Amino acid sequence: QLAASVADRFPDGTWFVPLATIRDPELLLPAIARAMDVTENPVRGPVEVLVAELAGKRALLVLDNLEQVLAGVRHVAELLRELPLLHVLATSRAPLRIAGEQEYPLHGLPVPIDVTGLSPIERATFADTAPRRPVTDVIGFEAVRLFLARSSAVKPGFQLTEANADDIAGIVAHLGGIPLAIELAAARIRFLTPAAIRARLDGRLDLPGTAMLDVPERQQPPRAGIAWSYELLDPPVRRMFTR
């Protein structure tokens, strides 16, 4: 969406480079070349090929999930040094630590207060701590609207009501407003009520019906997501968690 909104600033092209399936840092530049439909040259290195392709062009590369191949960031830095008109927009769980980098931390969506998780002192601070909150108090939060949209996709007709408003508010608050977590929780509406989902958030990682067939492994139910992140760790850190 961001790339689309600034497309007019990059008249020579914008390319999206998905890196979710790449683990080898040396495959970063070939992935960029494939996204740009640039043919590899057996006698020229990938940096040289891309520099020749992008020389003098005001272009944007969108590198998604760059944290998987952070060791390859040196190649990105080399491209930026050679191509002063090139811009890179990267999503990553870790900063790149290269010259000219501007970080934009992304936080969760705004969520209503989960009154059940408040201490007695906090309860006294907030005026609205009734066990049941009206629909109008929670519908204004984008995290709640996302939960409703994804829930209605798997259970047509599902609606926010006075009876489930507090549980839905508690679910999105417990998940910190993280969109992916909210989508995974909402997928359980096919089998469970909001109250049941809320009660299970601290329990089992996976429940029936949460798997999606057309999304990357990192966006599968929590157990698969944890496994995906675990596999990105260095062997000594893996051994520590195993122990």
Side-chain angles (χ1 to χ4, degrees):
Q1 178 61 40
L2 178 57
S5 67
V6 298
D8 58 341
R9 294 174 52 188
F10 302 100
D12 296 312
T14 296
W15 290 273
F16 178 77
V17 186
L19 301 172
T21 60
I22 297 177
R23 303 293 175 87
D24 185 351
E26 296 307 314
L27 296 179
L28 172 57
L29 291 184
I32 294 175
R34 284 195 302 273
M36 297 179 58
D37 200 22
V38 174
T39 303
E40 296 185 38
N41 190 315
V43 298
R44 303 169 70 187
V47 172
E48 189 178 357
V49 170
L50 288 173
V51 168
E53 180 70 22
L54 293 170
K57 295 181 179 180
R58 187 173 297 277
L60 174 66
L61 293 179
V62 182
L63 308 181
D64 191 34
N65 290 295
L66 193 54
E67 75 275 359
Q68 297 197 148
V69 287
L70 274 181
V73 169
R74 66 184 187 278
H75 300 311
V76 177
E78 189 173 355
L79 287 178
L80 292 171
R81 285 194 299 269
E82 297 291 334
L83 300 165
L85 298 181
L86 176 67
H87 285 67
V88 171
L89 174 65
T91 68
S92 174
R93 296 185 184 182
L96 309 186
R97 307 298 187 199
I98 61 177
E101 178 182 15
Q102 173 63 59
E103 296 180 38
Y104 292 95
L106 298 180
H107 304 287
L109 302 174
V111 298
I113 297 171
D114 183 4
V115 296
T116 62
L118 300 179
S119 67
I121 294 179
E122 289 173 324
R123 285 176 177 271
T125 303
F126 296 99
D128 182 16
T129 57
R132 293 293 180 189
R133 283 174 288 186
V135 170
T136 54
D137 283 1
V138 298
I139 191 61
F141 290 90
E142 191 171 350
V144 172
R145 295 198 296 271
L146 175 61
F147 182 90
L148 294 175
R150 296 298 180 266
S151 296
S152 61
V154 298
K155 188 175 183 179
F158 180 83
Q159 294 182 335
L160 179 69
T161 66
E162 298 288 342
N164 65 25
D166 193 61
D167 288 317
I168 292 175
I171 290 170
V172 299
H174 181 93
L175 298 174
I178 299 174
L180 177 57
I182 292 172
E183 292 190 4
L184 292 174
R188 303 176 180 184
I189 283 293
R190 183 185 290 112
F191 303 98
L192 300 170
T193 65
I197 293 174
R198 186 179 186 184
R200 286 164 170 78
L201 284 178
D202 290 323
R204 298 173 56 191
L205 290 176
D206 297 335
L207 290 177
T210 58
M212 299 290 288
L213 300 178
D214 60 345
V215 298
E217 183 182 2
R218 62 189 172 83
Q219 293 183 359
Q220 291 290 348
R223 188 179 301 279
I226 292 172
W228 176 82
S229 295
Y230 174 82
E231 291 172 0
L232 297 180
L233 300 173
D234 293 330
V237 182
R238 293 191 197 179
R239 289 195 293 270
M240 181 194 72
F241 275 108
T242 300
R243 289 167 181 165

